[in-house]
Amino acid sequence: MTFRTTQKLVQILLAVFATFLIAIPSVSAQDMKVAYVDLQKALNEVGEGKSAKAKLKKEFDEKQKQLDKKQEDVKKLKENLESQAMMLSEDARRERAMELQKKMYELQQLYIQLQGDLSKKEAEATKKIFEKMGKIIEEIGKEKGYDMILERSESSILFAKPGMDITDELVRRYNKK
């Protein structure tokens, strides 16, 4: 291919590209209709969210009592070992220290298990609510002609006009269903 042919080809491609750009209607950021929703706030305000939170809090409090009792038992065992350490034989002291370690390990495992159970239950409860919210958000978006609805979190939206927040409308519609 010669230099002239290459130059002609580039000119033709530029002309086609320019025609293509002119033919496409330009969409600017100002033409986009955007809103945001604070899902965490909505979760705390909808009826189902409040009842799920109350149920989880009750369960958490019960589990915390169970943990507190075990922790108190371990504390008493430790204090008992410390106060009697001088009077015990080496073997007895070692045996009680091992028993204390075992109890501390059991307490740690119980904490991890209970924490996992609560996290799982919270995820199950909120999943259903968030799925329902997602459908309502989609309805709002279609009805009001939004191009995009974002989720507000502490790190995602730093500033937005108050009129862009549709959280209250989401809560109102959610509680009606």
Side-chain angles (χ1 to χ4, degrees):
M1 210 186 268
T2 67
F3 178 72
R4 268 193 177 187
T5 311
T6 307
Q7 193 176 16
K8 277 255 195 225
L9 185 59
V10 169
Q11 287 175 345
I12 292 170
L13 287 174
L14 285 174
V16 169
F17 184 68
T19 306
F20 180 70
L21 286 177
I22 293 169
I24 296 176
S26 64
V27 177
S28 69
Q30 292 175 352
D31 295 335
M32 289 186 69
K33 191 170 180 184
V34 179
Y36 70 89
V37 65
D38 186 336
L39 289 177
Q40 203 57 49
K41 177 182 172 188
L43 176 66
N44 291 330
E45 291 183 9
V46 297
E48 273 184 82
K50 287 178 183 178
S51 65
K53 190 174 183 179
K55 182 179 175 185
L56 287 168
K57 170 108 174 75
K58 182 181 176 188
E59 201 167 322
F60 171 82
D61 290 345
E62 290 171 8
K63 307 269 186 200
Q64 189 62 49
K65 284 179 188 174
Q66 186 180 355
L67 272 174
D68 289 346
K69 185 185 178 328
K70 287 270 190 189
Q71 192 171 12
E72 189 61 36
D73 292 345
V74 169
K75 184 179 175 185
K76 285 179 184 176
L77 192 63
K78 181 181 179 199
E79 289 171 356
N80 191 5
L81 174 63
E82 288 173 351
S83 67
Q84 296 178 356
M86 294 304 226
M87 296 178 267
L88 296 172
S89 69
E90 184 68 32
D91 288 342
R93 197 171 38 242
R94 190 176 313 118
E95 188 176 309
R96 287 208 182 161
M98 288 175 64
E99 181 184 347
L100 176 63
Q101 276 188 314
K102 180 182 174 192
K103 294 287 184 185
M104 289 174 76
Y105 177 77
E106 288 172 359
L107 176 65
Q108 185 179 22
Q109 292 304 307
L110 179 63
Y111 173 79
I112 292 169
Q113 177 199 349
L114 295 178
Q115 188 77 10
D117 290 348
L118 286 173
S119 294
K120 184 179 176 184
K121 287 180 181 183
E122 181 182 22
E124 289 171 0
T126 57
K127 181 183 178 194
K128 294 173 188 173
I129 296 170
F130 284 142
E131 285 174 356
K132 193 173 173 183
M133 282 183 182
K135 291 175 184 172
I136 295 170
I137 291 168
E138 191 174 328
E139 287 173 12
I140 293 170
K142 287 177 181 176
E143 285 174 21
K144 303 223 174 177
Y146 288 111
D147 294 303
M148 187 182 309
I149 298 177
L150 305 169
E151 186 211 346
R152 179 178 190 131
S153 66
E154 289 182 23
S155 61
S156 65
I157 298 177
L158 302 176
F159 171 79
K161 293 180 182 178
M164 295 175 74
D165 186 356
I166 61 168
T167 306
D168 292 338
E169 183 173 355
L170 170 63
V171 171
R172 186 177 44 75
R173 288 188 186 200
Y174 189 100
N175 285 332
K176 281 185 180 179
K177 290 190 175 199

